[in-house]
Amino acid sequence: MAKTDALSILESAETKEKLKELDGNLIEAIQKDALSNRLKNTEYSGDPTSGSVVINRFKNAESANYGTARSAGKGSKLKNSGKVTINLDKDKEIIEEIENKDLKFFAVGGLAERRTANHSKRMAAELDRAFFALAESKAKAVTLATGVVDIDDVVEAAIQQVEETNNDWVDGVDRSDIEVTLSTHAYSKLRKYVDVIDGGVGAEATPLFHGVRVYSNTRQTADVIVMRHGSIAQPVSIDDYAAERIGLSNASAIELFYSYGTAAITPDLIAKIVKLPVATTSTSDSGTSTGGGTTGGTSAGGTSQGQ
């Protein structure tokens, strides 16, 4: 009967090369699976592996009369008043034990390949939940006008709140820079509206609503979140896959360690509607009529839809 040494399998060149290949596959899968990866700000300075990065946010430039700088002998200084430092302070691990008898049949590389798909999905889910939880906590609640209950009007109102922002850093936001994420319930209602408008022909091929990109999202609690692209940053540092023998046992471990941090870069450009308004009906002597919407028992007219 042949004897298989688990340690020799772990240290083989073939195993190390396979694990190195899976590192790339893992990152590629996370980039595909995590919605937050498509929306996040990546314009940072610094190396995530060092533990922190910095994102600058300069105030808008202001014009002056011709000759002002010449008279003063200097120009205006850049005001980096929106600078944000992001610490990768969430240290995580996925460590799975493998019995030596399983190594004999599959080898470390084969088992790791089977598990990589699951690891990437779990990481994507964790990153998404952290991303959208922060977005919701920083978002400003949208106040809907009286009678605004139709899904197209509701989403449009949320878009306009971000679009019309004017402060030290922005003077309005282009719709091409705005993104909307919807709960599955809200997305279904909007899709039905779009399908009716488009006649149901090729509707899914156009992920735009009034010029704004729209995504269905299972990892948010608010029905509607609107933000400018890059409003949230989430740098991630992933260590290489590793495999090692577990002491005093006949088992080995596949190890994955990673760290991340999440921060709001432009919280002023995030809006939300916690719950979609619901049309109310009132009964009178002349019959039944439809009135303004309510959200959780609160009238949509002139009231905030979320806290």
Side-chain angles (χ1 to χ4, degrees), residues 153-165:
D153 293 330
V154 170
V155 175
E156 175 63 26
I159 292 171
Q160 287 183 21
Q161 178 161 303
V162 172
E163 182 181 25
E164 296 172 356
T165 302

Side-chain angles (χ1 to χ4, degrees), residues 12-278:
S12 70
E14 180 182 355
T15 293
K16 292 179 179 179
E17 184 64 28
K18 186 63 177 179
L19 291 176
K20 185 176 180 180
E21 175 188 330
L22 292 177
D23 290 334
N25 293 345
L26 178 74
I27 294 173
E28 182 179 347
I30 293 171
Q31 291 174 340
K32 179 181 178 181
D33 293 337
L35 174 58
S36 56
N37 189 72
R38 307 180 210 175
L39 311 181
K40 70 180 184 179
N41 192 317
T42 58
E43 297 179 355
Y44 51 77
S45 58
D47 183 355
T49 61
S50 70
S52 66
V53 298
V54 173
I55 294 182
N56 297 315
R57 192 184 187 195
F58 297 100
K59 291 182 66 174
N60 281 333
E62 295 182 2
S63 63
N65 293 330
Y66 178 75
T68 300
R70 183 174 181 179
S71 299
K74 61 180 180 180
S76 300
K77 292 183 178 181
L78 287 174
K79 297 180 180 179
N80 192 9
S81 54
K83 179 180 178 180
V84 177
T85 298
I86 309 166
N87 296 314
L88 282 74
D89 53 4
K90 301 297 183 184
D91 300 318
K92 300 291 184 173
E93 65 181 39
I94 297 177
I95 299 177
E96 296 186 327
E97 296 185 8
I98 307 170
E99 292 297 328
N100 184 40
K101 61 182 178 180
D102 294 322
L103 287 178
K104 296 177 183 178
F105 291 106
F106 300 109
V108 174
L111 280 174
E113 187 170 23
R114 293 182 175 203
R115 299 303 300 154
T116 298
N118 181 262
H119 294 171
S120 66
K121 288 184 180 300
R122 299 317 307 148
M123 282 186 65
E126 180 178 356
L127 294 173
D128 272 358
R129 289 194 174 94
F131 182 97
F132 290 105
L134 182 64
E136 289 187 39
S137 70
K138 298 295 184 180
K140 181 179 179 181
V142 177
T143 298
L144 297 175
T146 302
V148 174
V149 294
D150 292 339
I151 186 63
D152 55 316
D153 293 330
V154 170
V155 175
E156 175 63 26
I159 292 171
Q160 287 183 21
Q161 178 161 303
V162 172
E163 182 181 25
E164 296 172 356
T165 302
N166 190 310
N167 55 35
D168 287 342
W169 299 282
V170 294
D171 188 3
V173 181
D174 291 340
R175 290 201 168 212
S176 59
D177 293 331
I178 298 175
E179 292 160 320
V180 176
T181 63
L182 303 173
S183 66
T184 54
H185 164 67
Y187 184 81
S188 177
K189 294 192 71 171
L190 186 63
R191 277 252 46 104
K192 290 178 181 177
Y193 166 80
V194 173
D195 288 346
V196 170
I197 298 301
D198 289 352
V201 180
E204 288 292 347
T206 308
L208 294 175
F209 172 74
H210 296 180
V212 176
R213 291 183 295 277
V214 179
Y215 303 92
S216 177
N217 182 24
T218 61
R219 293 163 185 159
Q220 67 184 60
T221 59
D223 276 336
V224 181
I225 300 176
V226 179
M227 68 181 84
R228 189 181 75 172
H229 182 83
S231 288
I232 303 288
Q234 191 180 63
V236 182
S237 177
I238 305 174
D239 291 349
D240 292 339
Y241 261 120
E244 65 177 276
R245 180 73 179 270
I246 298 174
L248 302 178
S249 74
N250 195 30
S252 304
I254 296 177
E255 303 169 342
L256 175 63
F257 298 93
Y258 60 98
S259 302
Y260 68 92
T262 313
I265 310 304
T266 60
D268 49 309
L269 301 179
I270 309 175
K272 68 179 177 182
I273 296 175
V274 176
K275 292 296 181 184
L276 294 178
V278 179

